[in-house]
Amino acid sequence: MIKKCLFPAAGYGTRFLPATKAMPKEMLPVVNKPLIQYGVEEALEAGLKEIAIVTGRNKRAIEDHFDISYEMEQQILGTDKEEYLKGVRSLIDSCTFSYTRQIQMKGLGHAILTGRTLIGDEAFAVVLADDLCINPEGDGVLQQMIKLYKQFRCSIVAIQEVPKEDTAKYGVIAGEMIREDIYRVHSMVEKPKPEDAPSNLAIIGRYILTPDIFDLIAQTEPGKGGEIQITDALMKQAQDGCVLAYKFKGQRFDCGSVEGYIDATNFCYENLYKEGQ
Ligand code: G1P
């Protein structure tokens, strides 16, 4: 079964400058918790305990976050502040964390290929931490996808309907509906203009990938924006075999944009943080 979850986390986060000048964008807090911690919690909930993170320059804070902060922890030991670290401590106790660096920023496909050394020859999940996904009603998005993988045993991308004018922000799929919430992918285009988009079904940052994807990425030429796109490698996989697109249950916030980040903050404050107090 799937045990590993890959987090491509080498990107610069330029849309959040100056906040991201010296701090990784994955460490931006939504209320009081860094974005990447939400992602790791979602992975653990889905039973994925081997966390693989593709980092880059200036990302050391991510490694420090998933480690003991010895001096601080000694300081708050036995006080009511200990409570604040409980969540991250239980992730550190339950998961292993391994890291590799992407030296050049050559796109999401390239970042995933860089993670090959941490994944090896097995199916794995991918989480883009700046897509914050929350399903207060039930299973998290990765858990929903893992359940589907058990049934179909092929690569799966999470999708949601977006306004047609927004297609240029996403990978967009088209396919044959095989269940009300599942499509078998026939075509897939990275960031098409609305007039070129095959549908309004946009890929969001949750993937389950079978390991043959690595060779397919390695054979993929730079595409949109001159970058090696995972969407293009998945399109080849869809042509040769099967890729599913899954309309997940829950909310997704684009925390790579200021507006989405503010929406996520308000939502988490009202629905998660206040409830936990
Ligand atoms: C990436 C993918 C794109 C996907 C998006 C989801 O784009 O390339 O296919 O729709 O994530 O957030 P990015 O937002 O990193 O430019």
Side-chain angles (χ1 to χ4, degrees):
M1 235 3 256
I2 299 189
K3 304 188 299 270
K4 294 185 180 174
C5 187
L6 185 71
F7 288 77
Y12 298 131
T14 44
R15 277 186 290 175
F16 269 93
L17 283 169
T20 48
K21 185 163 177 261
M23 182 179 76
K25 63 172 173 166
E26 296 77 13
M27 290 301 293
L28 286 169
V30 171
V31 189
N32 58 346
K33 203 193 291 183
L35 267 173
I36 194 161
Q37 189 177 331
Y38 288 89
V40 173
E41 286 173 356
E42 189 185 326
L44 180 60
E45 184 221 352
L48 313 180
K49 297 185 174 178
E50 295 179 38
I51 307 299
I53 307 183
V54 178
T55 64
R57 289 178 285 282
N58 288 329
K59 299 284 184 166
R60 240 198 67 185
I62 298 177
E63 295 186 42
D64 290 340
H65 187 68
F66 295 112
D67 196 353
I68 291 172
S69 175
Y70 189 76
E71 209 180 315
M72 185 198 287
E73 292 187 37
Q74 284 301 309
Q75 192 111 139
I76 64 175
L77 194 72
T79 74
D80 51 7
K81 297 204 173 84
E82 240 187 314
E83 186 66 20
Y84 297 132
L85 287 179
K86 241 174 97 184
V88 69
R89 269 317 284 267
S90 88
L91 294 182
I92 297 168
D93 292 341
S94 310
C95 301
T96 60
F97 293 85
S98 34
Y99 301 88
T100 191
R101 274 196 185 203
Q102 188 183 10
I103 308 294
Q104 288 175 297
M105 300 305 125
K106 293 205 239 166
L108 178 58
H110 180 260
I112 293 174
L113 184 59
T114 304
R116 181 178 205 166
T117 178
L118 303 175
I119 300 295
D121 192 25
E122 54 190 277
F124 62 104
V126 175
V127 168
L128 307 185
D130 50 16
D131 275 336
L132 179 58
C133 292
I134 294 172
N135 182 20
E137 326 270 77
D139 288 347
V141 176
L142 268 189
Q143 171 80 301
Q144 297 168 38
M145 293 171 78
I146 293 284
K147 285 184 176 167
L148 268 192
Y149 177 77
K150 285 185 181 155
Q151 196 181 341
F152 292 96
R153 303 267 158 187
C154 64
S155 290
I156 305 170
V157 297
I159 51 164
Q160 79 175 171
E161 284 184 35
V162 296
K164 195 84 187 193
E165 62 269 23
D166 286 346
T167 56
K169 296 184 191 160
Y170 301 95
V172 177
I173 71 111
E176 167 202 353
M177 192 193 260
I178 59 171
R179 201 173 87 180
E180 130 206 352
D181 54 352
I182 305 177
Y183 294 79
R184 190 184 166 124
V185 174
H186 291 163
S187 73
M188 224 178 202
V189 192
E190 181 65 11
K191 304 202 172 85
K193 290 189 205 130
E195 58 271 30
D196 301 328
S199 76
N200 68 337
L201 298 172
I203 302 171
I204 65 108
R206 298 291 180 279
Y207 305 77
I208 304 280
L209 301 174
T210 52
D212 52 313
I213 198 71
F214 290 126
D215 283 343
L216 292 170
I217 300 171
Q219 293 154 17
T220 298
E221 297 292 326
K224 194 84 188 185
E227 297 187 332
I228 297 173
Q229 300 294 350
I230 186 63
T231 307
D232 296 339
L234 277 163
M235 182 59 213
K236 290 192 218 165
Q237 213 179 30
Q239 278 162 346
D240 298 347
C242 181
V243 172
L244 297 180
Y246 168 60
K247 254 191 199 172
F248 61 92
K249 295 179 188 63
Q251 303 245 15
R252 169 256 179 183
F253 299 95
D254 172 14
C255 292
S257 76
V258 171
E259 297 72 20
Y261 178 77
I262 299 297
D263 288 346
T265 304
N266 289 328
F267 181 90
C268 290
Y269 179 65
E270 289 300 330
N271 294 279
L272 306 177
Y273 182 78
K274 273 206 273 204
E275 304 263 296
Q277 293 299 293

